[in-house]
Amino acid sequence: TGADLGFSRKDIAFNLSQAGIIARDERYTKNVTDHWKIVTDSSLVPSAAGDLPFELVSPILCSEAGVAAARKAILTLSKMGIYTNKSAGLHLHIDGAYFSLQEMKNLTNNWLMCESAIEACVPPQRRAERNRFAKSNRSAFGKSSSKQRFLRISEAQTFRHLRHICNPDNSKYWKLNLCTLDNASPTVEFRLAGGSDEPRFLEFYIRFIIAFCTASKTKAIPYSVNSNDTLTSRDEVNLLLELLSSYRKVCDMYLSKVAEMGGVEINPWRCFTCNKTFDRSRQLLQHRKDSQRCFRRSDRSSR
């Protein structure tokens, strides 16, 4: 937001606190607190002279109350006229203490198998290697095949070993960052998305990442589905939807966001339940909304 509008970081913290989001201006700190923090971030680029860049850091959020608090915080900032630009990032941390090593291997493998499909729900400037603060994890494996990536991940004997495989330069600047597993309070960090002042996108992203992590605890996509490394972006979308098939609303939100971002330029689109194909992602989204039969399986196990 612009300093010429009369705002300071303390003003922003005050307005958030007045709305029930207890916040403090703490400059730059990595301390985990029980309140929201307004901190500086040197990577943020002002949109105009007089802008006041800052990073908003939440305390540990849990359950629906956490989603509601995040939504309320963004709404409060939007009402103040505060916005994000392309230099901002949305970094989501998921508690890593509840993952076994095998479950973390599953998560890493699934991310690598579906990275292009996952990227389809964010703007082009956040995809592939276009942002130096959120590099593609596939690039860490060079020209390795899906099978070679899978086998390297399987060989990891410790979380640290897995981190070195997935983030080989010991840098946090990867879309899937495992370096935070070494923290006192271990987390898995997802740096894919850009900063957003839209509550709907924030809610979608939180639910999508949580669903992805939860599904990955019990399922690893086998490399055999891509034994010849010929998967298209459309194929990856189908794999991702199958992985998340128990999360109907998340799948709907994902397809809606992909359509909003322009879709995946590979046809046809396939319903992972009835195998009916469509020319466009928007048609598949409408089909999923209209067809109750396609959700009988997922409705029984929806979460």
Side-chain angles (χ1 to χ4, degrees), residues 12-24:
I12 297 168
F14 176 80
N15 278 274
L16 285 169
S17 297
Q18 287 293 99
I21 304 296
I22 306 303
R24 298 176 186 171

Side-chain angles (χ1 to χ4, degrees), residues 276-292:
K276 188 174 181 179
T277 59
F278 303 88
D279 291 331
R280 299 183 180 180
S281 57
R282 290 183 183 275
Q283 294 172 337
L284 175 57
L285 174 62
Q286 189 60 48
H287 166 73
R288 286 177 57 81
K289 288 181 176 178
D290 294 341
S291 178
Q292 291 299 313

Side-chain angles (χ1 to χ4, degrees), residues 122-136:
V122 299
Q125 67 266 21
R126 301 294 300 190
R127 300 175 190 171
E129 294 286 284
R130 296 188 180 101
N131 189 292
R132 66 188 180 94
F133 297 111
K135 296 182 291 184
S136 165

Side-chain angles (χ1 to χ4, degrees), residues 159-283:
F159 284 104
R160 180 164 293 186
H161 187 189
L162 181 61
R163 184 197 75 193
H164 284 304
I165 293 173
C166 192
N167 308 137
D169 56 0
N170 203 30
S171 166
K172 66 180 181 180
Y173 297 134
W174 300 86
K175 290 182 172 69
L176 173 62
N177 171 30
L178 303 185
C179 292
T180 47
L181 287 171
D182 287 339
N183 294 350
S185 299
T187 65
V188 185
E189 183 186 24
F190 296 85
R191 303 173 63 91
L192 166 70
S196 177
D197 45 30
E198 298 178 6
R200 287 178 62 251
F201 177 79
L202 179 64
E203 179 174 352
F204 154 70
Y205 189 64
I206 292 172
R207 296 187 186 282
F208 174 77
I209 293 298
I210 289 176
F212 180 85
C213 290
T214 305
S216 294
K217 285 174 71 71
T218 57
K219 181 179 180 181
I221 300 171
Y223 68 81
S224 57
V225 301
N226 193 26
S227 57
N228 296 321
D229 286 304
T230 56
L231 279 186
T232 64
S233 296
R234 180 256 306 185
D235 294 328
E236 287 188 29
V237 169
N238 288 330
L239 285 177
L240 181 60
L241 291 174
E242 288 170 5
L243 177 68
L244 304 180
S245 60
S246 294
Y247 302 88
R248 172 181 173 179
K249 291 183 178 179
V250 170
C251 288
D252 286 344
M253 289 189 289
Y254 165 77
L255 286 171
S256 179
K257 183 54 64 175
V258 170
E260 182 182 327
M261 291 294 114
V264 175
E265 297 176 359
I266 301 289
N267 290 320
W269 287 73
R270 177 176 67 87
C271 173
F272 59 86
T273 304
C274 70
N275 289 318
K276 188 174 181 179
T277 59
F278 303 88
D279 291 331
R280 299 183 180 180
S281 57
R282 290 183 183 275
Q283 294 172 337

